Amino acid sequence: MTSPDKEPLQEMNGLYRDAEGNYRWVYEMDSGSNRSFLKLYLLIFGLIILIPGAVLFLMIYGHRGYLDGAGEYLLIWFGIFAAVELLTVLIYKLIEKVKGGSTDIPYLLSDDYIIVHPDNTRTPKAYLRTDFSSVKDIKLEPDSDLILLCEPLRVTHVYVYPEDLPFVLNYFLDRVPQSNRIKELRSRANEMLKKA
């Protein structure tokens, strides 16, 4: 396998090196064709409704020993869930229309970390930066041009054009702490990318 540092940049779509030698690229998220943001928002707002609703259900009906009124509670709970999910889709569509359907997501990739929106000065760098030493797992969603860097308490979404995906994925795999899961992903990565 060719070392990531030796990979010829002219074969890549959007990656380039800056003056400090870091890789940079800007991924243009087309929300019309890439629905990963919508899926993420549906998951987040779904969990916001489901988790408190389940806790409340257990608090009300868990210790009573009988379920009188539980059906009505569940019907209301699922009605609220469906309404929130529908509202999420509608707001997403509205924002998509206002923004013209695309969002630029810039990245800075160094030997030790990746930063999403590196020129953002309003957000603390600790929130934008992911150190490779903290990554415990990597997941790949080639249909969404997405690599997920999983840390114990957060997940970093890294969008990469399909032509650059093998390079960036191998770059991550070479730098994160090695585990059986990472070794398994490395062996399957080329197969997964060929199918995408």
Side-chain angles (χ1 to χ4, degrees), residues 51-174:
I51 292 173
V55 170
L56 188 59
F57 180 84
L58 291 174
M59 288 172 59
I60 294 171
Y61 298 103
H63 68 284
R64 288 185 177 179
Y66 60 91
L67 296 176
D68 289 342
E72 292 170 5
Y73 174 87
L74 290 174
L75 189 61
I76 292 169
W77 181 29
F78 286 121
I80 292 170
F81 172 77
V84 167
E85 294 293 275
L86 178 62
L87 189 61
T88 301
V89 171
L90 293 175
I91 291 171
Y92 180 85
K93 290 286 191 186
L94 177 67
I95 292 171
E96 179 182 80
K97 193 168 192 114
V98 169
K99 286 188 145 191
S102 68
T103 304
D104 289 343
I105 310 171
Y107 293 93
L108 182 147
L109 178 62
S110 81
D111 283 335
D112 301 315
Y113 57 85
I114 186 166
I115 300 178
V116 184
H117 296 285
D119 300 322
N120 183 333
T121 56
R122 292 175 291 185
T123 307
K125 284 288 184 205
Y127 179 74
L128 302 172
R129 172 178 162 153
T130 300
D131 292 309
F132 298 139
S133 60
S134 303
V135 174
K136 302 299 180 199
D137 194 10
I138 296 176
K139 294 180 181 173
L140 181 63
E141 294 182 13
D143 294 340
S144 299
D145 302 337
L146 179 60
I147 301 171
L148 300 168
L149 300 178
C150 305
E151 297 177 81
L153 297 175
R154 72 175 184 166
V155 176
T156 301
H157 291 68
V158 180
Y159 290 94
V160 186
Y161 290 107
E163 299 83 6
D164 300 333
L165 202 58
F167 172 81
V168 175
L169 178 61
N170 284 318
Y171 195 93
F172 292 152
L173 290 171
D174 287 343

Side-chain angles (χ1 to χ4, degrees), residues 41-54:
Y41 297 147
L42 289 171
L43 175 65
I44 290 169
F45 288 112
L47 290 175
I48 287 172
I49 298 301
L50 290 176
I51 292 173

